Amino acid sequence: MAAPTLMQCLLAISLLSFAAHAQLSTMFYASSCPNLQGIVRAAMTQAINNEPRMGASLLRLFFHDCFVQGCDASILLDAGGEKSAGPNANSVRGYEVIDTIKKNVEAACPGVVSCADIVALAARDGTNLLGGPTWNVPLGRRDSTTASASLANQNLPPPTASLGTLISLFGRQGLSARDMTALSGAHTIGQARCTTFRGRIYGDTDINASFAALRQQTCPRSGGDGNLAPMDLQTPARFDNAYYTNLLSQRGLFHSDQELFNGGSQDALVRQYSSSPSQFNSDFVAAMIKMGNIGAGNAGQIRRNCRVVNS
C-alpha cells in the first residue's frame, strides 16, 4: 500500500481536530436527559436565593476549570492538588452546589451527564439569575481523570497581572484580547478577599483616592486577609456593565482590572462596553461559548461523584 500523501495526512489531522470540537452540541442530552437544564436551573435558583454571591462563585469556578486542562471538571477533584493551587485555595467556592446538582441529575439520569457540563450550565444560570444574559450552552464534555496544580499556577491570571500578561495568558487558551476584556466583565458580580487587592489600594497610583480610602477601611496593611469587598461598588449582586464604568473612574478593584483601562490597547473597548450594555452582553456570551470549547472532545469519563474518579 502506498504511503499517504502530505495532503492526506493534513486532511486526517483536520478531520480529527474537527471531530474533537464537533462533539459539543446544545442538544447533546435532548433524549438521554431531557430534564437536565430544568434540574440545574432549579438548584441554582435555590443556591442564589440562599446566597446571591454564589452566582459569581460558580461563574468563576467555570473559568478556573477551563483554563486548566480545558473545561473538564478537573478542579472538582479532591485529589491532584488543583483545588489547593495558589489561585484556587481559600478562593474558589461553590463545590457543594455542584455536588447537589450532580446528585439531583444522577437521580434523574444516572451515569449520563458529565460534571464538566454541569459546571458550564451552572455558570450560565448563575449569570442569568443575577440579571445577565442567557445563552444555549454547547454540551457533551467529558470529565478528566487527573487534576493539575502546576497548570493552575501557570495558567490562571493573578490579580496583579499586567495587560500584556493578561493578553498572553488568555491567548494561550485561544482567546483574543477582546474575549479577555469581555470575560473580565464577570467581575461586575461577586466579592474579593483583601489579600487579593491590598497591593492595589496601598501601592497603585492609577486609583481613585476616595475609592482607595474606602477599601482601606476594611482592608488594613496587615491582617484581615479574608475580609471581603464587592468587585463592583454600585451593584455587586447584579450582572451589568458597571464594571467598565468603574474602570473609567479608576475604581477597578484589582490591579489587573484597571490594566484594561490605563492607556493601553483595550481602552476603546472598555469605553464601548461602558456605554453599551447590549454590546457587552453580546461579546460576553460569545466569549463564554468560546471559552467553554477549550479542550472539547478530550478523552475522559462521566464521573458518578464529581470529587473522585470512577473506580
Side-chain angles (χ1 to χ4, degrees), residues 62-301:
F62 183 50
F63 170 76
H64 278 231
D65 181 41
C66 290
F67 266 54
V68 182
Q69 303 183 168
C71 310
D72 61 358
S74 60
I75 196 172
L76 303 180
L77 289 171
D78 287 339
E82 194 170 320
K83 279 184 175 178
S84 58
N88 296 330
N90 303 311
S91 175
V92 174
R93 55 199 300 273
Y95 300 116
E96 296 80 7
V97 175
I98 298 299
D99 289 340
T100 297
I101 298 173
K102 178 63 172 176
K103 179 181 177 181
N104 294 346
V105 170
E106 284 295 301
C109 318
V112 171
V113 181
S114 68
C115 299
D117 280 342
I118 288 173
V119 172
L121 288 169
R124 186 272 311 273
D125 286 345
T127 299
N128 182 240
L129 287 165
L130 292 180
T134 190
W135 59 94
N136 293 321
V137 178
L139 301 167
R141 299 167 186 83
R142 306 283 289 182
D143 296 327
S144 174
T145 57
T146 62
S148 177
S150 61
L151 285 179
N153 288 322
Q154 293 172 28
N155 291 354
L156 289 165
T160 56
S162 67
L163 178 60
T165 297
L166 291 171
I167 291 173
S168 175
L169 289 175
F170 276 76
R172 188 184 298 175
Q173 304 298 330
L175 298 167
S176 68
R178 189 181 188 95
D179 296 327
M180 179 271 294
T181 299
L183 289 169
S184 296
H187 287 177
T188 191
I189 52 176
Q191 301 183 66
R193 295 177 302 138
C194 166
T195 187
T196 61
F197 60 84
R198 178 183 284 120
R200 170 153 171 75
I201 63 174
Y202 288 103
D204 283 2
T205 56
D206 58 340
I207 187 169
N208 179 279
S210 61
F211 175 70
L214 175 64
R215 292 281 70 91
Q216 289 169 7
Q217 291 177 13
T218 54
C219 183
R221 287 184 180 271
S222 62
D225 285 359
N227 293 353
L228 297 173
M231 304 280 284
D232 168 9
L233 189 61
Q234 292 94 339
T235 53
R238 181 168 182 80
F239 192 98
D240 54 25
N241 68 331
Y243 168 81
Y244 300 101
T245 60
N246 289 335
L247 297 184
L248 297 185
S249 58
Q250 296 188 318
R251 288 180 169 85
L253 186 59
F254 292 156
H255 177 86
S256 57
D257 288 327
Q258 198 59 55
E259 282 288 286
L260 302 184
F261 189 80
N262 197 25
S265 62
Q266 301 306 293
D267 282 16
L269 187 57
V270 169
R271 289 187 185 279
Q272 184 179 356
Y273 288 161
S274 72
S275 62
S276 177
S278 61
Q279 184 64 62
F280 163 52
N281 284 344
S282 176
D283 283 4
F284 180 81
V285 166
M288 283 291 289
I289 293 172
K290 188 174 177 181
M291 184 177 74
N293 283 328
I294 299 174
N298 285 353
Q301 60 182 211

